[in-house]
Amino acid sequence: TTTLRDVRITGGKAFGNGGGIENRGTLVLSSCTIDDNHAPVPILVGAESALLRSDAEELHRFAEHVLHTGGGIYNDTYCRLTIEGTTINGNTSNIGGGLSNGGKTTLDSSTHITGNTARLAGGGGGIDNEVSGRITLNGADVSGNTPNNCLGVSKCAANPM
């Protein structure tokens, strides 16, 4: 288990998952700030024309960029993430602007996931919980994210999907 306490992770840019953090193990974040991270660079221009033409090579390149998630944090499949008293704010990704979860994530009531952005409509600006993911919110503040607070989570704090 790795524990990060009183750490700020800012300004990260990834061409894959996790602009700030990509967790592939067991991680505890305590009293941290994860802000202004980005994953990936903007969606490829002309991707819609590739979809219309069914150009396999262009479709593959498009999928590589669209499916990367977790502007602030990406928690990989089978991995564990515990977030306590942490602020996740101002992060951007195509899906899961603040947090993208494919593993098991537990948040506490003093965690705030606010002001994050997912570029794709309905893409979980605050949290994207993948099919393989299990997330426990425990009253965490998930609010003010664009275009919505959660994708694949039945309830985000007091804000239903």
Side-chain angles (χ1 to χ4, degrees), residues 66-91:
V66 171
L67 299 178
H68 295 294
T69 64
I73 302 168
Y74 178 74
N75 188 41
D76 208 351
T77 307
Y78 307 115
C79 296
R80 293 182 179 269
L81 175 63
T82 302
I83 304 175
E84 306 163 339
T86 292
T87 298
I88 301 170
N89 178 268
N91 301 288

Side-chain angles (χ1 to χ4, degrees), residues 126-149:
I127 298 172
D128 162 45
N129 194 47
E130 299 174 0
V131 174
S132 62
R134 291 186 1 218
I135 194 161
T136 305
L137 296 174
N138 293 322
D141 172 25
V142 183
S143 61
N145 299 287
T146 303
N148 55 12
N149 289 316

Side-chain angles (χ1 to χ4, degrees), residues 17 40 62-70 74 94-95 100 120 130:
N17 297 321
F62 172 69
E64 284 180 339
H65 289 277
V66 171
L67 299 178
H68 295 294
T69 64
Y74 178 74
N94 292 330
I95 301 171
S100 185
L120 297 181
E130 299 174 0

Side-chain angles (χ1 to χ4, degrees), residues 5 28-32 82-87 106-108 110-111:
R5 182 171 280 112
V28 177
L29 298 176
S30 180
S31 301
C32 294
T82 302
I83 304 175
E84 306 163 339
T86 292
T87 298
T106 304
L107 303 142
D108 76 352
S110 60
T111 292

